[in-house]
Amino acid sequence: MANDAVPPPIDLWSSMRQATSARIGLGRSGDAMPLKAVLDFQLAHAKARDAVHAPLDFDALEEQLAPYETIRVASLAPDRPTYLRRPDLGRRLDKESAAKLDAVQHGYDIVFVLSDGLSSIGVQMHAAPMIRACMERLGDLKVAPIVIARQARVALSDDVGERLGARLAVSLIGERPGLSVAESLGVYLTYEPRVGRRDSERNCISNVHGLGGLSYDLAAEKLAWLARTALKLQLTGVKLKDDVAAIAPPEIAGEIG
């Protein structure tokens, strides 16, 4: 009797899936998606929700940052639900935090502000090694104590930097989680930080994570170039173009597209 077995279908999408984390060519089971695709989507959605709502562990982060000096601050948003509904409150320090920074020595080249943002998991995982990579490249600058902020938006670094008299403020913040990466870190650089700065006056380095994103070394190399160029030109934002590819060390030059 002839073998009438039907050969398995050819997966025309397999090569494309190797080049992207996007959900493509998921197939179907009857009129619905295959069960595995549905479960994978639900898991990714749950991770994204957890990233948004999980509290930042200040104690653990400070241990990871040792021996660097740290200062804890909070925004005007008293809790997570308020923070999510009122972005404006996440951009300003509360009175206690403002007074704390006003009492600190002023006059720095750069201040790093680590903020939970929309993914405290991203900050928990990546902020400390990113800081160490940055310090290796910027250690000759006068660096302020590292500020760790709760319920914070990017613009909170303007308030922090202005109060500390820093020439540059660098916000390392948990990026809005997606359905492929929930623990990504974003880096925002602002020259002469002060309350009211526009987003167009910042430079951004995004997607610092271990799932196909920027490595700590490459992100720190980009930041160091931007920081030194910003101090020289006295500006950041749309007028400061990232040309780090021209000066990157050979070991990471291949990562720059």
Side-chain angles (χ1 to χ4, degrees):
M1 183 175 179
N3 185 359
D4 295 329
V6 178
I10 298 174
D11 186 355
L12 300 177
W13 295 92
S14 59
S15 60
M16 296 184 186
R17 290 196 199 94
Q18 304 306 312
T20 179
S21 58
R23 289 172 168 78
I24 60 174
L26 298 179
R28 66 179 184 178
S29 179
D31 294 330
M33 289 193 300
L35 178 60
K36 183 179 185 303
V38 173
L39 294 178
D40 286 345
F41 182 90
Q42 291 177 341
L43 176 60
H45 187 256
K47 288 181 177 179
R49 288 177 60 88
D50 286 347
V52 170
H53 293 285
L56 181 63
D57 188 335
F58 276 53
D59 292 337
L61 187 53
E62 286 182 335
E63 288 181 9
Q64 295 169 15
L65 290 167
Y68 298 121
E69 181 183 356
T70 60
I71 301 175
R72 300 186 186 190
V73 300
S75 76
L76 286 170
D79 50 49
R80 201 62 176 171
T82 304
Y83 170 81
L84 295 174
R85 292 194 305 266
R86 294 285 305 275
D88 57 312
L89 297 181
R91 300 183 182 118
R92 295 299 302 271
L93 294 162
D94 65 14
K95 291 183 179 180
E96 181 180 350
S97 299
K100 184 187 297 185
L101 293 183
D102 288 341
V104 175
Q105 175 187 349
H106 291 187
Y108 297 95
D109 292 318
I110 190 167
V111 58
F112 290 95
V113 183
L114 313 187
S115 302
D116 46 9
L118 291 172
S119 176
S120 61
I121 298 174
V123 177
Q124 208 84 59
M125 292 178 63
H126 305 302
M130 181 63 188
I131 285 289
R132 296 188 189 284
C134 291
M135 291 298 192
E136 291 176 2
R137 294 160 172 84
L138 297 170
D140 58 311
L141 299 182
K142 187 176 182 182
V143 181
I146 297 170
V147 176
I148 308 177
R150 189 185 305 279
Q151 316 295 14
R153 302 279 176 172
V154 171
L156 190 83
S157 62
D158 297 334
D159 202 351
V160 171
E162 183 175 14
R163 291 182 183 279
L164 292 180
R167 299 171 68 196
L168 290 170
V170 178
S171 174
L172 275 66
I173 190 166
E175 293 187 305
R176 185 186 307 275
L179 294 175
S180 57
V181 180
E183 60 273 4
S184 183
L185 186 73
V187 183
Y188 294 81
L189 176 70
T190 309
Y191 180 74
E192 285 193 348
R194 62 176 182 268
V195 173
R197 280 293 193 192
R198 299 184 299 273
D199 288 341
S200 60
E201 296 176 292
R202 313 184 199 282
N203 287 86
C204 174
I205 302 169
S206 62
N207 293 306
V208 180
H209 58 80
L211 298 173
L214 292 182
S215 66
Y216 304 133
D217 283 336
L218 178 53
E221 200 71 38
K222 284 177 173 284
L223 176 62
W225 187 91
L226 286 169
R228 295 187 187 284
T229 306
L231 290 173
K232 179 180 179 179
L233 301 180
Q234 300 183 8
L235 56 82
T236 49
V238 295
K239 295 182 179 180
L240 178 57
K241 304 303 181 182
D242 180 356
D243 194 26
V244 69
I247 50 85
E251 61 270 18
I252 66 171
E255 297 183 53
I256 302 176

